[in-house]
Amino acid sequence: MNADIKSVKKLAADRLRGCWGDEIMVFLINAAVMVLCFGVFLTVYACFLRNGIISGDFRNVLSESPVFAGIAVLVGILAYLVSAPAYIGSCWWTIHYVRDESKDVKCLLSCYATPKVFFRSLQMKLASDIPCTLLMAAVMGVYFICDLLISPLDGTGYVIAAVFKWVITLAVFLAVYGFFLRFAAVPYIYCLNHDDGCIENIRHCFRLTRENKQLLRDTAAVFIKIIPVIAIVISSIFIFPYCATLFAAVCLKMTENENIPEKADENGVEED
């Protein structure tokens, strides 16, 4: 294992001692925001369903009620407007405590401080989410195409083809996983460079990840090892603090390797 990932894992473990409760609180706050937004959608859905405006079949929802479809899209947009800055705020909070600085809960709300910071955080979240979504869509697309191709088969031929389907899908997933982590790092890099714009932060992130390919590979390996654990929903509450802390430590390590002077945040607070 590369020495960098060993030092990063040690840093993450050291910082988490005594902070599990705080990080779980951050996880639950983010989850609560999503649950609240989903609850609003379910309430609207139940009202339309009770009044017979829609049948419950989402494939026909647009023809049954364009109004409901429009409301659903609006609720989704509003949910993103609320949750995206909250996520960036949680990244900023994690960066703070990994650097052994103040862990004031106000950091979670830092991206709501001014319109400029709010919209910049939305840009950075979109810059991370859109490519990640497209990459995962590509993986799912390969899976469904393979599934469609093997559907006419039966018996032993189908079993063999199904194995190849999973092998091909896994190979595509591993091929795009590195790019996935590059874009996932964008919010953390932004938290370290508040004064830079969206494009500058994306370029900075790609430069850092290109220069630290081995560190990123090792990080990917660590995350892959704990995927089976994350599959158990309740355990994600405990795994999330480690994943968030480790990834923040990785981004800090990359900036440290690049030796770029750090900047003041949007509130004018100089970072150490």
Side-chain angles (χ1 to χ4, degrees):
M1 183 179 291
N2 186 276
D4 279 348
I5 193 64
K6 288 182 179 179
S7 64
V8 165
K9 288 177 68 176
K10 185 178 185 303
L11 174 62
D14 289 344
R15 291 293 182 265
L16 273 174
R17 289 193 180 97
C19 293
W20 283 96
D22 293 337
E23 186 58 76
I24 289 174
M25 176 195 68
V26 172
F27 172 80
L28 292 177
I29 289 174
N30 277 285
V33 170
M34 297 306 299
V35 169
L36 178 63
C37 295
F38 189 62
V40 172
F41 170 76
L42 287 181
T43 301
V44 174
Y45 174 74
C47 290
F48 275 76
L49 191 63
R50 181 183 299 175
N51 290 290
I53 300 175
I54 57 175
S55 63
D57 187 350
F58 279 97
R59 292 173 298 182
N60 301 321
V61 68
L62 186 59
S63 59
E64 291 177 343
S65 177
V67 174
F68 173 76
I71 292 175
V73 171
L74 180 61
V75 170
I77 292 173
L78 291 175
Y80 196 85
L81 290 175
V82 174
S83 62
Y87 174 79
I88 300 294
S90 69
C91 292
W92 186 219
W93 187 88
T94 304
I95 287 287
H96 266 298
Y97 86 73
V98 168
R99 297 175 70 182
D100 203 21
E101 297 173 346
S102 169
K103 297 182 284 290
D104 195 330
V105 73
K106 288 188 294 185
C107 286
L108 297 174
L109 305 176
S110 61
C111 292
Y112 300 99
T114 66
K116 180 181 178 181
V117 177
F118 178 80
F119 287 110
R120 180 69 60 80
S121 67
L122 285 177
Q123 286 180 324
M124 300 314 302
K125 191 69 168 69
L126 285 169
S128 174
D129 286 349
I130 291 175
C132 288
T133 301
L134 292 175
L135 288 170
M136 294 311 298
V139 174
M140 295 304 297
V142 169
Y143 172 84
F144 286 119
I145 290 173
C146 291
D147 196 50
L148 184 65
L149 291 176
I150 70 173
S151 58
L153 303 177
D154 55 15
T156 305
Y158 179 82
V159 173
I160 295 173
V163 172
F164 275 102
K165 174 187 71 174
W166 283 106
V167 170
I168 293 171
T169 303
L170 179 61
V172 173
F173 173 76
L174 293 176
V176 304
Y177 190 45
F179 289 100
F180 185 88
L181 286 184
R182 284 187 176 192
F183 285 106
V186 169
Y188 289 93
I189 299 303
Y190 164 65
C191 290
L192 292 167
N193 298 277
H194 274 219
D195 289 340
D196 288 347
C198 182
I199 301 301
E200 289 83 355
N201 272 296
I202 292 174
R203 288 175 178 170
H204 187 192
C205 184
F206 268 65
R207 184 169 63 252
L208 288 175
T209 53
R210 186 171 60 249
E211 294 171 354
N212 295 271
K213 289 181 180 179
Q214 187 58 50
L215 177 59
L216 206 64
R217 290 192 195 102
D218 291 336
T219 305
V222 172
F223 286 146
I224 287 174
K225 289 177 183 176
I226 62 177
I227 284 176
V229 182
I230 297 176
I232 305 173
V233 176
I234 190 64
S235 70
S236 65
I237 296 177
F238 303 99
I239 294 298
F240 176 82
Y242 180 72
C243 291
T245 306
L246 177 63
F247 207 49
V250 166
C251 292
L252 282 169
K253 184 66 177 178
M254 289 192 295
T255 57
E256 176 186 300
N257 289 347
E258 194 187 36
N259 196 30
I260 288 181
E262 291 159 357
K263 303 176 180 180
D265 64 20
E266 289 291 342
N267 297 317
V269 179
E270 290 292 338
E271 300 176 335
D272 295 337

